[in-house]
Amino acid sequence: MNKSKDFLRRIVQEDLNAGKYPQVHTRFPPEPNGFPHIGHAKSITLNFGIARDFQGLCNLRMDDTNPTTEDTAYVEALKDAVEWLGFKWEGNVRFTSDYFPEIYAYAIELIKMGKAYVDSLNDEEIREYRGTVTQEGKRSKYADRSIEENLDLFERMKNGEFPDGTHLLRAKIDMAAANMKMRDPILYRIRHAHHFRTGDSWAIYPLYDFAHCLSDYIEGITHSFCTLEFENNHDIYDWVLDTLNLTPPRPYQYEFARLNINYTVMSKRKLLELVEKGIINGWDDPRLPTIAGYKRRGYTPESILNFCEQIGIAKANSMVDVAQLEFAIRDDLNTKVPRVMCVINPLKVTIINYEGSEEIEASYYPHDVPKEGTRKLPFSKEIYINKDDFSENPPKGYFRLTPNQPVRLKYAYIITCQEVIKDANGDIIEIKAIYHPDSKSGSDSSGIKVKSAIQWVEAKSAKKVELRLYDRLFKDEIPEGIEAINPDSLKIIKDALIEPAVITDRPDERFQFEREGYFYADPIDYHDGAPVFNKIVALKESSAKKKKAPKTAERPSKKVQIDGEVTPMTAEEETRFEYYTKELKLNSEVANTLARDTKLSRFFQEALKIHNSPINLANLISNEVAREFKQKESLTFTPIQIAQLVKMIDEETISTKIAKEVFEAMSKSGENPEKIVQEKGLIQISDPAQILPIINDIIAKNPDNVAKYQAGNKKLLGFFVGQTLKATGGKANPKVVNELVGKRLGE
RNA sequence: UGGGGUGUCGCCAAGCGGUAAGGCAUCGGCUUUUGGUGCCGACAUUCAGGGGUUCGAAUCCCUUCACCCCAUCCA
């Protein structure tokens, strides 16, 4: 199917291929301080999914380092979520708190190495000393304490001798680091708090940055996936594991973008607010994006899983459209659940020419769902249809019952409206109709054409049910606060009518109520005497039935982008630039790149001494060599070698294409260019007599593309050139090939 | 403002110097006793903008712009 792997799977694959780890081992590491939501589901599918795909393992670990916010109720919800999604964690559920003794020992190790110290500044001072994003911080005066003193203080911190906030263990890194997270990060704080697992045995607790990487290491995790906001913490992750000199292999952290969905909120803080303020009914309110909410609403685990796979993994902050999630659940339920008839807003219909009663056998599944099962539909002269399925003054394109338009009662007869009965207010309260006895479904010989078939229930046998119709929780795509709550997010219908088999036979717990949507028997409030169904999602509505949405067709004018100011050159750079443009005749862009970069310009000057070809040298250096400087600490090749390479281009021994290849080899091995060319036999082929047969062959093999090209798709020239070049191992002279291909295809 | 990251269709997202994948949404047509489903088709001359290198650039170089993250003893 989708053969392209996401970037994380690609990394795992490469590491496995390189033999970096014998087996991949991931982990899902939530903090048990809130209910898991669909963002967690993305992380769960990612971590467990990668482990599954590469025959590896995945742990479930509670990151419980903050005793004041965490609770065992949340760990249960987290376990439920993973299980519900169908994953199995390796071994027991892990807890960071299980590693407190080990983490403590590592802290002591760091102190002994002189890499950590006990600080005794108060919180205000700590903040002050940290500096700002533009200003360096300064080191605490306590940073110079002796190892012995640090050891002593730290032990007494652990023993609970000091009150909260008096001392801290910090890593000794760099208070001037550009990455603020590296300004002597805090490793341990004193907290005289009851922990839900360790009780009162600890007076100090490690912070995320110290505990997380070590927990990963302790568990033998190979790839530690987390969300983008931890990118700044990446350096600490590496610092801790590296300075501790742990026996390899060790885990590495990789970041991906968290999930956002429009018309909802995903942050734990906002979710907690909704729950605590009673705006919704608890963590499992079906309007919430929590796993518990989706579960209660009737979403299937498969649909959530499919959704998570469809949206992909990447590093760009993004906002997924709810429509994508709704597609996932419809798509899943479509082939699974029975169709039944429910009338949400009943309108009585009396069939004046029908006497007695009958039972009609009807399939639970439409023709395109390969499942078996039927039920009996009672039928008599009194039935109910949905109010919207009758229109006295129908708009254009209305398919259902009108005074002049008959309609089919699904699985039963065609009826024609005879009389519309209204109450004192003029509201329609009943329809009198006639049925056509020869129009029965399956044996219709009436010849009457109808435009649609509607759902109905028989009056006496129908059961009353409560329907909870859910809609998006917020009006705004990106809700700012609870003011944006959608007032119609929950509509309760107390007296909908449903066909009896649904209640008496209970063939399933999820149904499609025909022409309405998918519904789920509420797992908590449903009772046989008082059935309750939650609306999972509406059926998709084609535009014809929708109230024609006003088409807003404004052409987004191409936005003009203002260019900012370019930083001016220094005097020295200016001189170089003048020289390059005036004397050496370099184009200004290349000259600019070279002039502004001391390393590059020096490299250029050196190479120029060997081979006097300023333009070609400058081009190669300002592009290819510049990249190497950017990516690598030190270069594997010298200006002399680059000069030799350019010389070969100038002499047309090799093409620019080959030059790129040679350059790549040089950057890997540092070999001389001549040697590389010799060894690989990269001398270019420019003889048309040699190239032409290859081109002919390729043209013969790709008639479709030839036709497309000749029809005007000139981009395909690149395709043919590329193919030819590939066939010659890159040795054909691209200029010649280009010319030849163009000529051949033009014929 | 210093550092880190990201910009490919309305929304996700492949792509890693040689024909701009795919899904959602949207719009047509066919099928249909669900205005559902299914099927078929349309939907980026262009990859945030501007330059440069190259026979050839979404991909390499330079530069500008926009957005996100970092100054909790949270994670």
Side-chain angles (χ1 to χ4, degrees):
Chain A
M1 205 183 85
N2 189 8
K3 59 182 184 220
S4 59
K5 285 192 174 83
D6 58 73
F7 77 103
L8 296 176
R9 269 170 237 263
R10 200 195 310 278
I11 289 167
V12 170
Q13 183 68 266
E14 279 166 11
D15 286 349
L16 253 21
N17 291 348
K20 193 165 166 186
Y21 308 102
Q23 184 183 34
V24 62
H25 200 154
T26 58
R27 99 270 96 109
F28 170 56
E31 183 191 11
N33 70 343
F35 267 62
H37 50 67
I38 193 158
H40 291 91
K42 178 178 179 181
S43 177
I44 291 168
T45 14
L46 171 71
N47 281 294
F48 284 93
I50 285 183
R52 185 232 298 125
D53 292 354
F54 294 95
Q55 288 86 44
L57 304 168
C58 183
N59 292 356
L60 171 59
R61 178 169 77 233
M62 301 296 156
D63 209 356
D64 56 347
T65 57
N66 187 358
T68 57
T69 57
E70 294 153 5
D71 190 84
T72 171
Y74 299 122
V75 344
E76 291 310 311
L78 258 352
K79 282 159 66 180
D80 275 358
V82 174
E83 280 175 335
W84 185 67
L85 288 170
F87 293 109
K88 279 205 175 62
W89 52 84
E90 162 65 15
N92 296 322
V93 176
R94 323 293 171 111
F95 292 86
T96 301
S97 55
D98 290 344
Y99 313 135
F100 282 173
E102 264 176 282
I103 295 170
Y104 178 76
Y106 281 124
I108 289 176
E109 192 82 4
L110 241 28
I111 295 172
K112 285 182 179 161
M113 295 167 91
K115 298 284 190 185
Y117 61 95
V118 173
D119 197 358
S120 307
L121 258 25
N122 64 41
D123 56 349
E124 202 174 305
E125 291 167 320
I126 294 272
R127 210 175 318 123
E128 236 177 75
Y129 278 48
R130 188 148 35 215
T132 68
V133 286
T134 46
Q135 280 167 258
E136 294 184 357
K138 63 178 179 193
R139 191 96 86 188
S140 162
K141 61 182 177 217
Y142 301 105
D144 296 327
R145 294 212 252 235
S146 71
I147 290 175
E148 291 67 33
E149 190 183 358
N150 281 324
L151 252 15
D152 173 62
L153 250 17
F154 187 51
E155 185 173 354
R156 290 165 60 196
M157 281 166 65
K158 185 195 75 161
N159 293 340
E161 292 182 28
F162 307 115
D164 288 7
T166 50
H167 302 286
L168 239 28
L169 185 73
R170 304 180 73 169
K172 196 182 241 178
I173 306 180
D174 180 8
M175 287 307 289
N179 178 356
M180 294 214 51
K181 288 271 148 98
M182 291 295 268
R183 323 249 254 228
D184 288 11
I186 297 165
L187 268 23
Y188 265 96
R189 82 282 218 185
I190 300 172
R191 188 123 307 172
H192 292 273
H194 187 84
H195 186 281
F196 75 100
R197 295 192 79 246
T198 60
D200 299 313
S201 50
W202 290 87
I204 54 170
Y205 293 91
L207 276 93
Y208 169 85
D209 284 314
F210 193 51
H212 199 93
C213 52
L214 287 171
S215 303
D216 281 345
Y217 177 73
I218 290 165
E219 291 180 10
I221 300 306
T222 57
H223 299 261
S224 182
F225 304 120
C226 64
T227 45
L228 252 30
E229 66 270 28
F230 291 98
E231 272 173 327
N232 299 313
N233 304 58
H234 193 132
D235 288 345
I236 312 182
Y237 192 100
D238 288 342
W239 184 90
V240 170
L241 296 184
D242 286 344
T243 69
L244 245 13
N245 274 319
L246 304 167
T247 31
R250 73 147 172 104
Y252 286 85
Q253 175 181 309
Y254 303 92
E255 307 86 13
F256 65 93
R258 71 183 320 140
L259 171 63
N260 293 295
I261 298 183
N262 55 10
Y263 301 103
T264 191
V265 291
M266 214 72 95
S267 86
K268 283 189 201 168
R269 210 200 80 241
K270 287 178 184 161
L271 255 15
L272 187 65
E273 186 186 356
L274 291 168
V275 173
E276 283 183 339
K277 288 193 175 157
I279 293 162
I280 40 83
N281 307 313
W283 286 105
D284 67 342
D285 188 298
R287 289 167 291 183
L288 251 27
T290 53
I291 303 295
Y294 287 118
K295 191 173 169 185
R296 176 105 187 244
R297 178 137 169 190
Y299 272 74
T300 56
E302 292 82 0
S303 68
I304 303 284
L305 254 21
N306 289 343
F307 170 74
C308 289
E309 272 161 29
Q310 281 164 9
I311 57 172
I313 307 288
K315 291 196 76 164
N317 283 317
S318 59
M319 170 84 69
V320 176
D321 196 334
V322 261
Q324 186 103 21
L325 216 208
E326 293 175 351
F327 168 81
I329 184 62
R330 281 191 202 106
D331 189 48
D332 188 41
L333 261 21
N334 176 41
T335 53
K336 287 182 176 169
V337 304
R339 271 61 169 178
V340 297
M341 294 199 288
C342 177
V343 172
I344 293 180
N345 196 3
L347 172 64
K348 189 173 169 186
V349 175
T350 305
I351 302 167
I352 53 183
N353 61 340
Y354 187 93
E355 290 304 329
S357 67
E358 65 184 295
E359 280 194 322
I360 299 168
E361 177 119 351
S363 169
Y364 272 129
Y365 304 96
H367 63 96
D368 49 3
V369 172
K371 290 186 84 172
E372 303 282 328
T374 62
R375 81 290 194 182
K376 297 263 200 300
L377 294 168
F379 187 81
S380 77
K381 72 182 302 174
E382 275 189 20
I383 62 164
Y384 286 95
I385 66 169
N386 218 13
K387 274 204 174 101
D388 317 337
D389 288 339
F390 174 78
S391 176
E392 200 174 15
N393 300 299
K396 206 168 160 269
Y398 187 82
F399 286 1
R400 296 98 96 190
L401 187 66
T402 76
N404 311 310
Q405 181 169 270
V407 78
R408 172 172 297 282
L409 298 174
K410 184 139 190 180
Y411 309 113
Y413 301 94
I414 291 172
I415 56 169
T416 300
C417 174
Q418 292 289 296
E419 192 186 348
V420 181
I421 315 254
K422 296 178 183 172
D423 64 9
N425 300 326
D427 294 331
I428 300 169
I429 51 167
E430 187 184 344
I431 303 287
K432 297 228 187 269
I434 53 160
Y435 87 113
H436 302 273
D438 54 355
S439 69
K440 192 171 179 184
S441 192
S443 57
D444 183 359
S445 58
S446 71
I448 302 169
K449 286 271 177 277
V450 291
K451 290 201 173 106
S452 82
I454 61 172
Q455 75 273 30
W456 54 276
V457 292
E458 191 271 330
K460 281 197 275 299
S461 59
K463 305 283 187 191
K464 201 155 100 174
V465 290
E466 176 178 326
L467 260 30
R468 296 176 182 170
L469 306 180
Y470 295 105
D471 198 354
R472 53 183 59 143
L473 223 204
F474 293 93
K475 302 180 289 201
D476 300 348
E477 266 204 76
I478 306 164
E480 290 300 336
I482 49 177
E483 314 82 59
I485 291 274
N486 172 12
D488 302 319
S489 63
L490 170 58
K491 228 184 313 184
I492 298 175
I493 308 279
K494 290 280 188 190
D495 43 15
L497 294 172
I498 202 162
E499 56 168 288
V502 176
I503 309 302
T504 53
D505 299 353
R506 283 207 75 174
D508 206 335
E509 48 198 10
R510 291 186 185 84
F511 299 89
Q512 186 196 105
F513 291 177
E514 294 221 35
R515 306 206 307 128
E516 293 290 355
Y518 293 98
F519 286 78
Y520 180 55
D522 188 274
I524 294 169
D525 295 338
Y526 186 106
H527 300 290
D528 285 339
V532 178
F533 290 92
N534 298 326
K535 181 172 180 174
I536 306 168
V537 66
L539 251 36
K540 193 179 161 185
E541 271 185 36
S542 70
S543 52
K545 198 182 173 187
K546 281 183 196 164
K547 322 224 178 336
K548 42 190 171 276
K551 225 12 184 186
T552 43
E554 73 316 334
R555 222 18 324 185
S557 55
K558 199 159 184 177
K559 52 183 179 277
V560 217
Q561 191 168 294
I562 316 129
D563 275 7
E565 229 161 88
V566 182
T567 35
M569 287 189 198
T570 64
E572 187 193 357
E573 288 164 358
E574 192 77 44
T575 322
R576 275 202 293 259
F577 182 78
E578 290 294 307
Y579 174 67
Y580 291 158
T581 49
K582 300 258 164 65
E583 300 294 323
L584 300 182
K585 307 286 183 215
L586 302 187
N587 86 37
S588 65
E589 204 57 42
V590 172
N592 184 53
T593 306
L594 254 25
R596 283 173 184 274
D597 192 310
T598 325
K599 276 193 280 187
L600 279 185
S601 53
R602 196 172 304 148
F603 194 99
F604 175 56
Q605 311 279 20
E606 290 294 315
L608 208 51
K609 282 184 215 158
I610 311 297
H611 177 60
N612 187 28
S613 173
I615 295 178
N616 285 349
L617 226 30
N619 284 346
L620 193 93
I621 291 169
S622 68
N623 288 286
E624 315 298 315
V625 178
R627 180 178 63 244
E628 296 296 310
F629 268 122
K630 229 166 47 171
Q631 291 172 355
K632 290 179 186 160
E633 301 282 303
S634 63
L635 263 31
T636 49
F637 48 80
T638 63
I640 302 168
Q641 289 169 312
I642 293 299
Q644 290 168 344
L645 180 63
V646 170
K647 188 153 176 275
M648 280 189 282
I649 300 171
D650 289 343
E651 288 164 355
E652 294 193 27
T653 316
I654 59 171
S655 65
T656 49
K657 171 105 177 168
I658 294 173
K660 293 259 157 85
E661 199 184 326
V662 175
F663 182 83
E664 250 171 63
M666 280 167 63
S667 89
K668 277 207 193 85
S669 66
E671 293 273 16
N672 272 352
E674 286 99 336
K675 198 172 163 214
I676 296 167
V677 170
Q678 288 241 323
E679 275 175 3
K680 298 196 175 180
L682 288 175
I683 310 295
Q684 77 173 330
I685 306 166
S686 300
D687 180 8
Q690 267 188 73
I691 298 172
L692 216 43
I694 299 166
I695 293 177
N696 288 339
D697 190 43
I698 287 162
I699 286 177
K701 278 183 186 154
N702 294 280
D704 291 0
N705 281 342
V706 173
K708 275 196 233 167
Y709 178 88
Q710 283 163 350
N713 189 352
K714 300 296 176 206
K715 275 181 302 189
L716 254 26
L717 187 70
F719 164 77
F720 289 106
V721 174
Q723 291 293 309
T724 310
L725 252 28
K726 207 169 154 191
T728 58
K731 283 184 277 186
N733 182 335
K735 274 185 204 166
V736 176
V737 173
N738 229 299
E739 205 174 298
L740 256 26
V741 169
K743 225 165 36 188
R744 272 292 276 110
L745 287 173
E747 283 163 8

